[in-house]
Amino acid sequence: MSELEKVKNSSLIEYQKYSEWDLDFLTQYIIENHHKYVKNAIPNISNHLQKVFEAHGEKHSFIVNVQKIFFEVAEELSHHMMKEERILFPIIKYLADSQKLREKPKTRGYVTVQNPIRQMEAEHVSAGNALENIRRLTNNYTLPEDSCATFQITYKELEEFEKDLHKHVHLENNILFPKAIELEERLIKEIYD
Ligand SMILES: [Fe+2]
């Protein structure tokens, strides 16, 4: 129980830390930590999966499906991160700047920040489902008895990839996005002199 309490408290402290950050800073943190990690991990994991497929694909036919799903989710996530970096995060920075300058934001083509956010949330669900499918196909990353070192490394990397995605999505869905929506609503209502 006390161990559980500790985990609960530490995640609460973590939550408080991120939720106190300036929204623009939080987007930079996500890019520097999570987006960069994903961009580096994709070619690495793809290479390892190819090696595992070549050595064990014939005997373990599920590997080709893991490869296919990973390839698709990698493509999806690459586009997703690009949209965040080029479209959504600049809008959030603009909202944060408007607040600092005490100006009412102009919503231009995106009407409300809620529109790109809904799209990003739907893409998070899709990526999460893909990683869950990989977990299911690999029987919770249970290594076959005849597995080699590359097999072990690949499973470790895939699990790490999933864990990182969960944290990444948590920061966006539970902290960044609701705060950006709330900020936009507040700035629109605010009366400036
Ligand atoms: Fe995202």
Side-chain angles (χ1 to χ4, degrees), residues 35 80 84 89 120 124 168-169 172 177:
H35 289 193
H80 170 83
E84 287 184 337
F89 291 178
M120 294 303 109
H124 289 165
H168 176 180
V169 166
E172 293 180 357
F177 296 170

Side-chain angles (χ1 to χ4, degrees), residues 27 29-43 70 73-90 116 119-121 123-124 127 161 164-165 168-169 172 176-177:
T27 62
Y29 175 85
I30 290 169
I31 293 172
E32 282 303 312
N33 288 277
H34 297 290
H35 289 193
K36 266 198 185 153
Y37 163 79
V38 173
K39 284 173 198 166
N40 287 328
I42 286 173
F70 186 76
V73 75
E75 281 283 302
E76 264 181 45
L77 271 176
S78 302
H79 280 116
H80 170 83
M81 294 187 303
M82 196 171 77
K83 282 187 264 181
E84 287 184 337
E85 289 174 26
R86 295 199 188 158
I87 301 167
L88 179 57
F89 291 178
Q119 167 83 24
M120 294 303 109
E121 283 175 339
E123 292 175 7
H124 289 165
F161 193 85
D164 181 83
L165 183 79
H168 176 180
V169 166
E172 293 180 357
L176 182 66
F177 296 170

